[in-house]
Amino acid sequence: MRGDGLFLVSRGKGGKPNAMTIGWGLLGTMWRRPVFVVAVRLSRHTHRLLEESDSFTVCLPGKGMEDWLEFCGTKSGHDVDKFKELGMTAAKGLEVEAPYIEECPVHFECEIVYRNEMKPGQLRKAIEDDVYPGKDMHVLYYGEVQGVYAVEDAEGKLA
């Protein structure tokens, strides 16, 4: 996993932000709107936070954030405050309630417009057997992009 992925940032009713490394996501157009689709397993702490929320952010990591990606992809926000542990700054979203990681050069702010819980037996068997041997399925969260923000010289700062 080292160095791969994006950060999915959420905050539930408890108010504490959480960042999770995601490797799967889609950015495109649905319902004539820009939409970012993220996949979160039912067993993840982030799933609970997203169910308590109406928004999320997706943050693109900068150079040198490989350790952050690894940490956020292997530790649960249920057990550790990732922002505190890593010294990340949770900045207030400009268009949504969910925070973003201030140190990331680019972030997408998304309002959840649809949720789709995958069910066993609905995916082609070969894929399901490969990806979901324990039946820990994903929920797909469709976030209408409310804003995309980048720091100056973001292209040169991206990992």
Side-chain angles (χ1 to χ4, degrees), residues 43-120:
S43 63
R44 300 294 186 246
H45 177 66
T46 297
H47 170 258
R48 182 180 63 79
L49 299 180
L50 288 172
E51 289 299 309
E52 295 175 357
S53 178
D54 64 355
S55 62
F56 60 85
T57 62
V58 176
C59 302
L60 282 58
K63 293 174 183 170
M65 292 185 178
E66 296 83 6
D67 289 342
W68 287 12
L69 284 166
E70 184 173 2
F71 189 88
C72 291
T74 58
K75 305 293 183 194
S76 173
H78 181 268
D79 302 323
V80 63
D81 182 336
K82 297 176 193 178
F83 278 81
K84 182 178 179 182
E85 189 75 25
L86 295 172
M88 295 188 297
T89 307
K92 182 179 180 341
L94 302 170
E95 302 292 333
V96 298
E97 289 297 317
Y100 66 94
I101 301 170
E102 187 172 288
E103 291 81 2
C104 289
V106 178
H107 78 277
F108 294 78
E109 297 189 2
C110 303
E111 180 182 349
I112 299 171
V113 295
Y114 185 68
R115 295 164 167 87
N116 184 22
E117 183 178 330
M118 297 178 67
K119 304 285 186 197

Side-chain angles (χ1 to χ4, degrees), residues 121-138:
Q122 294 181 338
L123 188 61
R124 191 173 60 173
K125 183 172 177 14
I127 297 172
E128 185 172 321
D129 290 348
D130 178 46
V131 179
Y132 303 103
K135 304 301 182 206
D136 185 16
M137 307 301 281
H138 281 100

